[in-house]
Every structure is written in structure tokens, then in C-alpha cells.
Amino acid sequence: IAGITQAPTSQILAAGRRMTLRCTQDMRHNAMYWYRQDLGLGLRLIHYSNTAGTTGKGEVPDGYSVSRANTDDFPLTLASAVPSQTSVYFCASSEKPSSYNEQFFGPGTRLTVL
Amino acid sequence: AQTVTQSQPEMSVQEAETVTLSCTYDTSESDYYLFWYKQPPSRQMILVIRQEAYKQQNATENRFSVNFQKAAKSFSLKISDSQLGDAAMYFCAYRSRLGRLYFGRGTQLTVWP
């Protein structure tokens, strides 16, 4: 089934540890995004990539890094996790970065940093 | 940066009745898209409906319709003949010409039998 997969589904992590959230799409979409969802705050953009080989910062990029080595994969890395990074993380993609293209979302990763 | 405001943290409706969820946004752009996403307890984000800013006609998808008032920067969602399966968190979102999506804080909809 075509779509976006994220791994892991959930994770409990000790503060200070490094963690990479994986995201893969098989729709050959050019643009990909990482959001975090916190209670009462909706979804906020962390980083994005308009095409393979390029990345950009969103609203809340501090403490996170991304890479886009190919079209399908867009991993998000927390170099040294802190409790404030406890959240649900969504990966999304769209065919093109322009405004009329729908963004498709993955199932999310629930991350708890203790 | 664009802001999206959903002033109703929670709403409730009786099954088969109609409910309207409010959304306002702030932007200086003239070309953009607006979306309503539904997030049920499964956590999956599901697109409900979208509106192109340059189209005056309000979008409709079966029981879901919008009231788009561009001058007022308002984009409300009307759900007709509400069903138990409509219970979810609803997010209004604005997409800029650069493609970035800005979300409101959400409205939790409860549907009573």
C-alpha cells in the first residue's frame, strides 16, 4: 500500500541520548516535512525538504537535524534528547512544495524523553 | 509568519444535527490554500476538505462544507447530519505559496448519540 511509514511507533528515551526517527515514502514525492504535535498547540513544522539534497528550517528547528540523501527517506535526528522534546512526531510529504498540493501524513511516532 | 486561530477548543453535537467549527487566519498573501484535517483517536491525519483562495465558490465534500470569507479571513467548517464517526480533533490549516503548512490548535468534536 502506497503511503508514508514511520518508525518507531513509540519510544521512551533517556535524556541526553541520541535518537533518529525514520520516515519513508513510496509515492516519489519531492517535498517532505517533519512536524511535532503537542497538546493544545496543534502541529508545528520542525524541518522540511523541497527536494532531495535540500533541507530547510521550520518554526521549531532547535535541537533537531534532518537529511535528505534520496527522494524516499527523510530521517529526523535528536542529537541529545531533552524532556521538552516529548511529543508526537509526524512526517508528511507532498508531490511538489507548491501550495496546491495536499500533504499526506504518516501515522506518527510518540516519543517520551525522561 | 501566518497564524491560524481556532477559537473553540471543544465542541459537541447531537447525532444527525449540524455543527460549525470556526477558523480565522492572518496573512498578507493573496494566493494560498486552506485545509481542514481530521485526527481521530487513531492519530492519523486525514484531509477533510480544502479551499483555493482564488475561488469564490465554497468547497463541499459530501456532508462537509466550508464557509470561506476571504475579506474576513475566515474559513469555517460545517458538518451536516453528524455521525458518531465524525468525533475527532479537527485542525484548520493554511498553506502558503512556499508550501509550508500552518495549523491551528484544534477543536475537539464530540458527537452524542
Side-chain angles (χ1 to χ4, degrees):
Chain A
I1 299 176
I4 300 175
T5 58
Q6 292 185 235
T9 301
S10 65
Q11 182 74 45
I12 299 174
L13 188 67
R17 298 296 295 270
R18 180 184 179 90
M19 176 73 191
T20 295
L21 307 185
R22 300 185 298 279
C23 174
T24 300
Q25 53 102 0
D26 61 3
M27 298 175 283
R28 307 302 295 172
H29 284 175
N30 287 299
M32 296 187 75
Y33 311 85
W34 273 106
Y35 295 90
R36 60 177 289 173
Q37 182 180 16
D38 302 292
L39 193 63
L41 294 179
L43 280 78
R44 293 179 293 168
L45 182 66
I46 305 171
H47 284 288
Y48 65 94
S49 169
N50 286 338
T51 189
T54 69
T55 61
K57 293 181 179 180
E59 297 175 71
V60 288
D62 294 343
Y64 305 95
S65 63
V66 291
S67 61
R68 187 86 185 278
N70 57 62
T71 297
D72 299 342
D73 302 300
F74 190 43
L76 176 74
T77 297
L78 290 68
S80 179
V82 295
S84 61
Q85 292 178 311
T86 294
S87 187
V88 178
Y89 291 85
F90 287 94
C91 179
S93 72
S94 63
E95 184 177 357
K96 297 178 182 179
S98 57
S99 61
Y100 59 85
N101 290 129
E102 176 186 350
Q103 284 191 16
F104 294 86
F105 286 80
T109 294
R110 181 178 295 279
L111 180 67
T112 302
V113 183
L114 301 177
Chain B
Q2 284 75 12
T3 58
V4 179
T5 302
Q6 293 180 249
S7 59
Q8 307 153 316
E10 298 176 344
M11 290 284 284
S12 62
V13 64
Q14 202 82 26
E15 199 175 5
E17 297 296 311
T18 296
V19 65
T20 298
L21 308 184
S22 301
C23 174
T24 59
Y25 58 95
D26 184 28
T27 184
S28 58
E29 298 177 331
S30 60
D31 184 20
Y32 50 87
Y33 274 66
L34 297 163
F35 302 83
W36 278 99
Y37 279 88
K38 169 184 177 181
Q39 187 180 42
S42 66
R43 203 167 70 190
Q44 183 69 46
M45 293 289 286
I46 303 165
L47 178 66
V48 174
I49 198 166
R50 60 181 153 180
Q51 174 78 41
E52 300 157 84
Y54 63 85
K55 286 188 176 180
Q56 291 185 336
Q57 186 174 6
N58 290 324
T60 299
E61 290 285 344
N62 300 314
R63 297 182 295 106
F64 299 87
S65 62
V66 300
N67 182 6
F68 173 50
Q69 301 290 328
K70 190 172 184 179
K73 297 179 182 176
S74 171
F75 182 60
S76 60
L77 174 70
K78 186 171 81 171
I79 306 174
S80 304
D81 187 24
S82 298
Q83 300 176 359
L84 295 177
D86 295 333
M89 180 72 84
Y90 287 82
F91 291 99
C92 177
Y94 170 103
R95 190 164 192 186
S96 70
R97 294 178 68 243
L98 294 176
R100 293 171 58 168
L101 205 56
Y102 296 89
F103 286 87
R105 298 189 175 195
T107 296
Q108 181 67 50
L109 178 67
T110 300
V111 181
W112 301 101

